Amino acid sequence: MSRERKAYPKEFKLMSVELSNTRTDLIALAKELDINVTLLYRWRKEFSSKQESSFPGNGKVILSAAEQELANLKKELRETQMERDILKSFYGAQSVELPIQHK
């Protein structure tokens, strides 16, 4: 039977990260906050890498303009490669020779 995931508000996460920076025993802190210590480490890592844009809510990551453009280009590349592979397999199965023109 699967358990429903707990959703923690952004303020709670920020407070937890701030407390974890002042304490040495993170396991005890996690027990006080009634969270898993790995969750606390994950929040610390996210906050240290993203600062203001960390913990956007609903699991949706807020990307910068450059990150968004990179994601769009990667998606476009994947789609183009898939189209190429489909065309390759189609023309390979046809075994039709194209005429070669010599000048």
Side-chain angles (χ1 to χ4, degrees), residues 72-85:
N72 289 340
L73 289 171
K74 285 182 177 183
K75 179 181 176 188
E76 186 177 336
L77 177 61
R78 279 192 310 273
E79 291 172 355
T80 302
Q81 288 172 334
M82 189 177 6
E83 290 170 358
R84 179 205 58 204
D85 292 343

Side-chain angles (χ1 to χ4, degrees), residues 1-40:
M1 201 181 264
S2 64
R3 296 183 341 195
E4 192 168 319
R5 293 177 63 170
K6 277 188 172 180
Y8 298 98
K10 180 176 183 172
E11 295 77 21
F12 178 78
K13 293 177 183 180
L14 290 172
M15 185 258 322
S16 301
V17 169
E18 288 175 16
L19 284 173
S20 72
N21 290 331
T22 61
R23 304 265 187 103
T24 55
D25 188 5
L26 295 183
I27 295 173
L29 176 61
K31 285 182 182 177
E32 288 175 30
L33 296 172
D34 194 30
I35 61 173
N36 194 314
V37 71
T38 56
L39 190 57
L40 186 56

Side-chain angles (χ1 to χ4, degrees), residues 32-96:
E32 288 175 30
L33 296 172
D34 194 30
I35 61 173
N36 194 314
V37 71
T38 56
L39 190 57
L40 186 56
Y41 279 111
R42 189 179 330 140
W43 291 346
R44 285 175 56 150
K45 182 179 178 183
E46 182 178 343
F47 183 74
S48 68
S49 67
K50 299 204 181 208
Q51 295 293 322
E52 301 86 30
S53 64
S54 58
F55 318 126
N58 297 328
K60 297 183 180 177
V61 179
I62 298 174
L63 301 176
S64 67
E67 291 172 327
Q68 182 64 43
E69 183 177 359
L70 180 61
N72 289 340
L73 289 171
K74 285 182 177 183
K75 179 181 176 188
E76 186 177 336
L77 177 61
R78 279 192 310 273
E79 291 172 355
T80 302
Q81 288 172 334
M82 189 177 6
E83 290 170 358
R84 179 205 58 204
D85 292 343
I86 291 169
L87 289 173
K88 270 179 147 178
S89 65
F90 175 74
Y91 283 115
Q94 295 294 321
S95 68
V96 175

